[in-house]
Amino acid sequence: MKKPVLLALLCCALPLSAQAQFAKPEDAIKYRQSAFAVMGTHFGRIGAVVKGEVPFNAAAVTANAEIVAALSKLPFDAFGPGTDKGGNTKAKAEIWTEQDKFKKGATDMQEATAKLLVAAKSGNLEEVKKAFGATGQSCKACHDNYRAK
Ligand code: ASC
């Protein structure tokens, strides 16, 4: 087998966390910002329903919640050592000095998005509203602590 093919196969066999390697800090920064941006777009579409700007459609909310919950797993492996600088980032230095607290915030947010998905699947708008509020709080907690203005 040719070496590049073997290497490609080896890469695929690695667990997801070990794949979180970026050539440059800038690449990690772009990756995590992209994941947050897509998440924010789909969370915002649920927000429009919660605010009554868009009629409630459980299937559409579920589709958006699926994306939010899946994407919530992506950004945090891209906050590795040395990715505090090197691109256009608002990430505060405290992320790397308060790793336990930062990771707890990430887990809280991931759990909140999982509950939002359950609420969406229930088809109950009141449940969606509650879970949306809790998820928004989990976003805000990290923004307040770890994102520069
Ligand atoms: C959004 C979005 C965020 C969160 C945050 C909640 O829709 O893009 O970053 O909600 O504003 O406080």
Side-chain angles (χ1 to χ4, degrees), residues 76 79 95 98-107 142 146:
F76 302 101
F79 283 92
I95 289 171
E98 300 175 3
Q99 278 280 292
D100 288 352
K101 195 176 156 194
F102 180 69
K103 283 178 181 159
K104 167 132 193 342
T107 306
C142 275
Y146 298 116

Side-chain angles (χ1 to χ4, degrees), residues 63-127:
N64 284 312
E66 294 269 17
I67 294 168
V68 172
L71 276 269
S72 75
K73 300 186 178 89
L74 300 184
F76 302 101
D77 286 339
F79 283 92
T83 63
D84 53 330
K85 289 185 190 74
N88 185 15
T89 181
K90 291 182 187 164
K92 286 184 165 179
E94 283 80 359
I95 289 171
W96 291 274
T97 57
E98 300 175 3
Q99 278 280 292
D100 288 352
K101 195 176 156 194
F102 180 69
K103 283 178 181 159
K104 167 132 193 342
T107 306
D108 287 349
M109 186 275 281
Q110 289 161 342
E111 288 173 2
T113 66
K115 287 183 185 162
L116 178 58
L117 178 55
V118 171
K121 286 179 176 169
S122 80
N124 182 326
L125 179 57
E126 288 313 307
E127 292 297 315

Side-chain angles (χ1 to χ4, degrees), residues 40-41 43-44 132 135-137 139-140 143 147:
T41 296
F43 188 60
F132 180 88
T135 305
Q137 282 305 312
C139 301
K140 189 176 182 301
H143 291 170
R147 185 175 69 170

